[in-house]
Amino acid sequence: MYADPGEKTRGAESSLDRSDRLPWRPDTAPAFCASWPGVRQCAPAGRVTKLVLDALNLTGSLTVALLAPLAELRVLSLKSNALTGLITEALPRALPNLKLLYLADNRLQGCVPATLAMLHQATVIVLSGNRLTGQISPSLAALRRLTSLLLDRNLLTGVVPLLAQRTLRALNVSANRLSGEIPRSLAARFNASSFLPNLGPSTISCRTGHGSRPSSLLL
């Protein structure tokens, strides 16, 4: 049976909003695009396309069951909450139209899924300030529309992959545990604060004489 858009959005609210900060009620569902806090934009058919729920002390995990009913989302922002668990590898399948993803300053763990490369429409991915581990997947270079990738303040290890897309304007992988060489093309385009400090093995903070860009390409 078809579930109305308000019912689908309430499903997400009931899973994450344990402190009842969001007054989403069935009696207001007909006007939810205009009046429900956090629902910023809807498609003509009433499907939610922009959901912004920042700093609401939301808890729980971003599961496939939670995300799948929101398949029309273009923008998802859940910054500065208390979300836990993994970033599901199935996120691109659940939200195939997603363009902007903001999950900064939560308590998310596990790796940055390589499957994020399947978010073909993505322009912004912000995962700063979590507890993410593992390596940064080279597959993210497949995101040809990506303009911003912020992964700073996590526990990531390994090397910085070559992200060759010319669309990339903002990159930050600082405050992790990365090591090794910074790809020359990235070192030429972004200043040292995009990469340093890092606390991986053999960490070296080398800069140019002007102190603006890494010179030896070693973290």
Side-chain angles (χ1 to χ4, degrees):
M1 182 174 66
Y2 174 75
D4 68 82
E7 181 180 341
K8 292 181 177 183
T9 311
R10 286 197 305 276
E13 181 262 348
S14 63
S15 297
L16 301 177
D17 185 27
R18 305 296 173 83
S19 57
D20 199 26
R21 299 285 298 275
L22 296 172
W24 294 355
R25 304 182 308 278
D27 60 296
T28 62
F32 80 100
C33 271
S35 62
W36 280 16
V39 178
R40 299 289 181 84
Q41 186 174 322
C42 290
R47 303 289 183 89
V48 179
T49 58
K50 184 176 182 179
L51 190 61
V52 179
L53 301 173
D54 299 337
L56 290 170
N57 197 33
L58 301 181
T59 59
S61 301
L62 298 177
T63 63
V64 175
L66 175 72
L67 297 173
L70 303 171
E72 296 299 319
L73 277 183
R74 270 63 168 175
V75 179
L76 176 61
S77 184
L78 298 170
K79 296 179 294 186
S80 302
N81 283 294
L83 301 177
T84 56
L86 308 178
I87 300 174
T88 174
E89 293 186 351
L91 188 148
R93 186 170 71 248
L95 304 177
N97 300 299
L98 199 64
K99 295 182 178 181
L100 282 69
L101 176 63
Y102 299 95
L103 298 178
D105 298 311
N106 280 282
R107 302 171 188 171
L108 298 171
Q109 298 176 317
C111 67
V112 178
T115 54
L116 292 184
M118 298 172 61
L119 288 172
H120 301 301
Q121 305 297 320
T123 60
V124 174
I125 296 177
V126 180
L127 306 178
S128 311
N130 282 286
R131 300 171 183 174
L132 300 173
T133 56
Q135 299 188 6
I136 303 172
S137 174
S139 67
L140 297 180
L143 294 170
R144 296 302 179 187
R145 301 183 181 185
L146 194 65
T147 62
S148 299
L149 178 63
L150 307 184
L151 303 175
D152 53 293
R153 296 181 291 116
N154 280 290
L155 302 170
L156 300 172
T157 55
V159 300
V160 179
L162 176 60
L163 301 169
Q165 54 266 65
R166 299 305 302 176
T167 55
L168 198 61
R169 296 290 180 267
L171 173 67
N172 196 334
V173 296
S174 66
N176 280 288
R177 297 177 178 177
L178 300 170
S179 60
E181 294 189 353
I182 302 169
R184 290 182 181 275
S185 60
L186 295 181
R189 293 168 57 195
F190 300 100
N191 63 33
S193 63
S194 294
F195 308 101
L196 304 173
N198 262 284
L199 300 175
S202 302
T203 296
I204 301 176
S205 299
C206 291
R207 303 167 184 260
T208 64
H210 299 290
S212 60
R213 298 185 188 278
S215 59
S216 75
L217 308 183
L218 286 174
L219 290 174

